[in-house]
Amino acid sequence: MTTVRTGRPPVTGAGLASLARRAGAPLVLALVLVIGAVAFGEGFAGPQNIRNVALDSSYLVLIAVGMTFVVISGGIDLSVGSVFALAGVLAAVGAQWGSLPAVALPLLVCGLIGLLNGVLIGRARIAPFIVTLATLLFARGLAFAASQEGNKVYLIPGDLTLTRIGQARTLGVSTPVLVAVGVFAVALVVLNRTRFGQAVYAIGGSPESAELMGLPVARVRVSVYVLSALLAAVAGILVAAQTSSGLPTIGEGRELEAIAAVVIGGTLLSGGIGTLTGTLAGALLLKVIQNLINQVGTLSSYYQQVVSGVFLLLVVLIQTGLSRRGRVDEEVP
């Protein structure tokens, strides 16, 4: 008897897991967008609402891009929400002397916080959770100290170049959205087409094997935490430019939102696996869900947190189930 081969490999658990990680968030995002357009029509799918969602998403995308590098490398960064707020406050403080100090001051201070995270995690080998929790408290406290415990709000003059650029629109697209798109494009190339990106994946998969391969494990870990802090700082500067002020209370819970976007996008918290396109879809999905809840009008904004939490739990359960099935398929000859 002759066996006929179709040439198509069988679908395995590992294949399903990979497909779910790569295409799950974009497919759900597309479905939610269609549902929103049908249910709310122009109120949801209109140009003004789309611009609002894009602007709101841009800050989260910037932070989540940096978080993706950290998580793929096997780490976590809980400090980004506080760094985001600190950057906004320092941008407003620096704006009293001009646009250059408004940009340089937060980038310098926040970059140093990221460097501290990286050195303690990459060189001293302290647990990322503990280190970034400490810098979360430090950055938030510094933001309140700079604003006199929140009693003094520094305003950014409207005639500054920073303000004009931050509030400008190009072909109807806000500057923060353009910056987020540009950063995403560059990060996509870095993660997928450079040795640094390959090292991030390798270290997240197995730090011991990466060291045996001669990869600079400590240096890469330091770099991803500096990158994460700098991108959070850029988001904070853009928010300050948009609102013409710096508030120490913004960004509370933003680190959890960024982690949720990364995980929903298919990146494993254990490291070594993940994509930036998934992160982008995850961030947009969270903001679209929030916008849909606002469209209803009768629901509190806290329902967005409930929906996001349930959705994140479902994603983790599905990832866990598919990963286990993939391991079983690999063990079966």
Side-chain angles (χ1 to χ4, degrees):
M1 180 179 294
T2 303
T3 302
V4 178
R5 297 181 180 272
T6 63
R8 180 178 298 176
V11 178
T12 64
L16 286 175
S18 177
L19 180 62
R21 282 193 296 268
R22 287 185 285 106
L27 288 176
V28 174
L29 174 61
L31 178 62
V32 171
L33 288 173
V34 171
I35 293 174
V38 172
F40 299 103
E42 189 71 14
F44 174 78
Q48 184 58 47
N49 190 60
I50 292 176
R51 282 194 291 266
N52 291 338
V53 173
L55 178 61
D56 194 23
S57 302
S58 62
Y59 310 117
L60 177 58
V61 168
L62 284 169
I63 297 173
V65 165
M67 185 69 74
T68 303
F69 278 84
V70 171
V71 174
I72 290 177
S73 73
I76 199 79
D77 190 351
L78 300 178
S79 68
V80 290
S82 296
V83 169
F84 172 69
L86 176 61
V89 172
L90 293 180
V93 172
Q96 310 309 308
W97 293 277
S99 294
L100 183 58
V103 174
L105 180 61
L107 288 179
L108 176 62
V109 175
C110 296
L112 288 174
I113 292 176
L115 180 62
L116 177 63
N117 283 337
V119 169
L120 292 178
I121 294 167
R123 300 288 183 183
R125 300 181 182 272
I126 303 176
F129 181 88
I130 300 300
V131 172
T132 58
L133 179 60
T135 51
L136 176 154
L137 299 173
F138 172 79
R140 184 69 65 177
L142 191 57
F144 274 98
S147 60
Q148 299 179 15
E149 298 183 1
N151 294 319
K152 183 175 179 58
V153 177
Y154 289 94
L155 300 178
I156 301 178
D159 58 347
L160 279 187
T161 302
L162 173 65
T163 309
R164 292 198 298 270
I165 294 176
Q167 297 178 359
R169 287 185 177 179
T170 303
L171 300 177
V173 182
S174 301
T175 298
V177 178
L178 295 175
V179 172
V181 170
V183 167
F184 175 80
V186 172
L188 197 63
V189 174
V190 170
L191 186 60
N192 296 303
R193 293 289 183 268
T194 67
R195 291 183 178 179
F196 175 77
Q198 294 173 355
V200 171
Y201 278 108
I203 291 168
S206 175
E208 295 80 10
S209 298
E211 286 185 348
L212 291 175
M213 293 167 59
L215 294 177
V217 175
R219 189 169 65 199
V220 170
R221 282 177 170 167
V222 171
S223 299
V224 296
Y225 282 98
V226 172
L227 175 65
S228 179
L230 288 176
L231 289 180
V234 170
I237 294 169
L238 291 172
V239 167
Q242 273 280 318
T243 60
S244 298
S245 63
L247 299 174
T249 54
I250 65 170
E252 293 183 350
R254 185 71 75 169
E255 61 280 348
L256 302 180
E257 196 174 19
I259 294 171
V262 171
V263 174
I264 289 172
T267 299
L268 297 185
L269 283 174
S270 56
I273 296 175
T275 65
L276 281 170
T277 52
T279 294
L280 176 63
L284 291 174
L285 182 59
L286 290 176
K287 290 304 180 181
V288 168
I289 291 174
Q290 181 180 1
N291 187 265
L292 284 174
I293 291 174
N294 293 337
Q295 294 283 336
V296 174
T298 57
L299 295 177
S300 167
S301 61
Y302 292 108
Y303 280 97
Q304 187 265 338
Q305 299 179 12
V306 174
V307 173
S308 299
V310 171
F311 192 77
L312 179 61
L313 181 60
L314 288 174
V315 169
V316 172
L317 289 174
I318 292 172
Q319 285 184 354
T320 302
L322 290 175
S323 296
R324 288 176 178 172
R325 181 176 173 180
R327 286 195 295 269
V328 170
D329 287 347
E330 290 174 357
E331 292 173 358
V332 175

